[in-house]
Amino acid sequence: MPKTIKNLVFTACIGLAACGGGQSDRSAVTTPTIPTAPMLRDQTTIPIGVALAVGSFERASSIRYSPQASQLRNLAAHEFSSVVAENVMKPEFIHPQEDQYNWSDGDYLVKFAKDNGMQIHGHTLVWHNAIPDWMNNYTGDWEAMLTDHITTVVSHYSSDISSWDVVNEAFLDDGSVRSTIWSTHISDYIAKAYLAAHAADPDAELYYNDYNIEAMPKKLDAVLNMVSDFRNRNIPIDGIGFQLHIDRYWPSTTQIRQAFSRCVAMGLKVRISELDIRMNPNNTATTLTPELAELQRQRYRDVITAYLETVPYDLRGGITVWGLTDATSWVTGYYHMPDWPLLFDANFQRKPAWTGMSEALIATP
Ligand code: XIL
């Protein structure tokens, strides 16, 4: 969308307090807790995205159910031009029973995004995690079951979601295929998933998404071999999502640049799909000191600069950070140690990390 139109949509939404909420949101909208321009979304024309919690099971951070929901929505709509569901479009949540889909939370996110002139990226159709019990215990025709899931979800969102993570994390770090219910029950399941997604929405951009592919060349070898094989067999795939769950030390920006360049050399689109930068990987810190915050600013700046300098404009699928504020990032729960990996602090305030990202976006159009 051209910038001027996007800004009009945005302004209209804020004016009407129509950011996905009702009467109770109006006071939050009239007492903004967030800074004025320039917002990240206005600093570039590539999608700048954020993963948002929506479901009642993620209540602390949900843009629908959290006590802070209206502030979360306001911050997201101000700063970002793209959203992804942190959880609610995964099979466990969107397809809880074989004969039951739960569209409510996904549809809420889509409406919120559309009301605020934001794009929506779909995450994720096929993964080894977040699988409902009925899928784990399935005894019928597995290929038909997977195809039906993909077809139903992609079709439901075909007019609103223009890009999908079709398969997520199918390879191990050594480049071997991960053993999952899908690899066990369906031969060539990865290719079949892409064919099903393409059949359901021929216009959607289809991504493969994974972690550590920026740091482990053998893992990226496996992904790119898969792409070559797909091309030989006319199986559609458009791009690679680099999750980039990284830390202050690892991996180097040289490694990240090399990995992006390998995709670019094959004409693949590249997304930074789940960016967060842990500042306490060795559990030696108890707070984000000014020194650590400054290091994080530089690290965000360097990673975003690496992306913008390595991936030409037409191949940039955008940059998405995996969560809004440090208070509710998934990493502290996952690694069981304190951390501050995102752009905003627990009080919704921009961190130096935000400045680092902004500096990169402005310096390298
Ligand atoms: C994570 C969510 O952030 C958590 O809330 C959830 O408990 C587990 O999944 N790679 C992915 C994401 O592709 O879907 C994961 O999201 C993080 C790792």
Side-chain angles (χ1 to χ4, degrees):
M1 185 185 294
K3 252 189 181 174
T4 43
I5 299 177
K6 187 184 75 181
N7 287 343
L8 279 178
V9 172
F10 170 66
T11 310
C13 161
I14 296 298
L16 296 171
C19 304
Q23 191 67 32
S24 62
D25 297 329
R26 287 175 187 271
S27 57
V29 171
T30 50
T31 47
T33 54
I34 38 183
T36 50
M39 307 301 173
L40 288 175
R41 64 183 284 167
D42 296 324
Q43 297 174 12
T44 175
T45 53
I46 65 169
I48 299 297
V50 61
L52 294 177
V54 185
S56 55
F57 60 92
E58 39 194 356
R59 192 163 188 274
S61 49
S62 169
I63 63 160
R64 189 175 189 183
Y65 298 105
S66 157
Q68 299 183 309
S70 65
Q71 287 107 305
L72 292 164
R73 289 197 300 273
N74 278 336
L75 181 60
H78 271 81
E79 293 276 5
F80 296 93
S81 56
S82 173
V83 295
V84 55
E86 184 169 356
N87 287 300
V88 297
M89 290 189 190
K90 295 170 180 172
E92 179 182 2
F93 307 107
I94 209 164
H95 196 175
Q97 304 291 338
E98 185 172 1
D99 56 357
Q100 183 201 333
Y101 284 86
N102 172 14
W103 303 117
S104 174
D105 289 329
D107 289 1
Y108 182 94
L109 180 66
V110 166
K111 181 177 185 319
F112 166 74
K114 288 170 71 178
D115 285 348
N116 291 286
M118 303 160 106
Q119 295 184 14
I120 306 129
H121 176 79
H123 175 84
T124 176
L125 299 167
V126 188
W127 193 25
H128 61 280
N129 282 332
I131 295 175
D133 287 345
W134 74 267
M135 279 188 185
N136 274 318
N137 301 325
Y138 197 65
T139 54
D141 179 338
W142 276 79
E143 188 176 327
M145 181 266 276
L146 179 63
T147 303
D148 181 65
H149 172 79
I150 292 171
T151 306
T152 306
V153 176
V154 173
S155 302
H156 181 83
Y157 288 117
S158 62
S159 45
D160 298 315
I161 296 191
S162 52
S163 60
W164 278 98
D165 292 335
V166 179
V167 177
N168 193 34
E169 304 179 355
F171 297 99
L172 298 176
D173 285 349
D174 66 4
S176 59
V177 174
R178 185 191 296 272
S179 176
T180 68
I181 57 167
W182 310 114
S183 67
T184 303
H185 293 284
I186 307 174
S187 67
D188 202 20
Y189 84 93
I190 305 179
K192 286 170 181 161
Y194 283 82
L195 287 169
H198 183 68
D201 183 359
D203 296 327
E205 288 191 342
L206 305 182
Y207 281 84
Y208 174 81
N209 193 53
D210 215 330
Y211 61 88
N212 287 356
I213 48 176
E214 68 284 356
M216 300 186 173
K218 280 199 172 151
K219 191 170 192 178
L220 189 57
D221 286 346
V223 174
L224 298 182
N225 286 341
M226 175 193 75
V227 171
S228 301
D229 169 57
F230 278 16
R231 287 178 170 171
N232 289 335
R233 295 195 284 151
N234 257 334
I235 292 158
I237 185 163
D238 299 289
I240 305 299
F242 286 78
Q243 293 184 4
L244 249 62
H245 296 295
I246 59 176
D247 69 43
R248 55 177 289 196
Y249 304 111
W250 180 90
S252 70
T253 44
T254 305
Q255 288 174 288
I256 295 172
R257 282 172 186 263
Q258 284 168 351
F260 289 161
S261 297
R262 292 182 65 192
C263 297
V264 168
M266 291 179 67
L268 286 161
K269 294 196 79 167
V270 177
R271 298 182 76 239
I272 294 181
S273 57
E274 304 186 11
L275 180 61
D276 45 35
I277 304 182
R278 297 164 62 209
M279 296 309 289
N280 189 28
N282 303 323
N283 204 8
T284 48
T286 51
T287 59
L288 185 71
T289 61
E291 293 74 24
L292 279 178
E294 169 59 18
L295 285 172
Q296 193 177 39
R297 177 182 75 81
Q298 294 170 17
R299 184 76 162 133
Y300 264 96
R301 185 195 60 204
D302 293 350
V303 169
I304 303 303
T305 301
Y307 177 76
L308 297 172
E309 288 186 353
T310 318
V311 182
Y313 188 81
D314 290 348
L315 293 180
R316 291 180 198 155
I319 301 166
T320 288
V321 291
W322 203 247
L324 262 178
T325 80
D326 285 344
T328 51
S329 163
W330 76 296
V331 304
T332 44
Y334 189 80
Y335 292 99
H336 302 292
M337 53 183 83
D339 219 309
W340 313 272
L342 294 169
L343 303 178
F344 298 92
D345 68 20
N347 298 316
F348 305 94
Q349 300 303 304
R350 291 171 173 170
K351 294 165 56 191
W354 181 98
T355 308
M357 179 141 164
S358 169
E359 286 167 341
L361 291 173
I362 290 168
T364 315

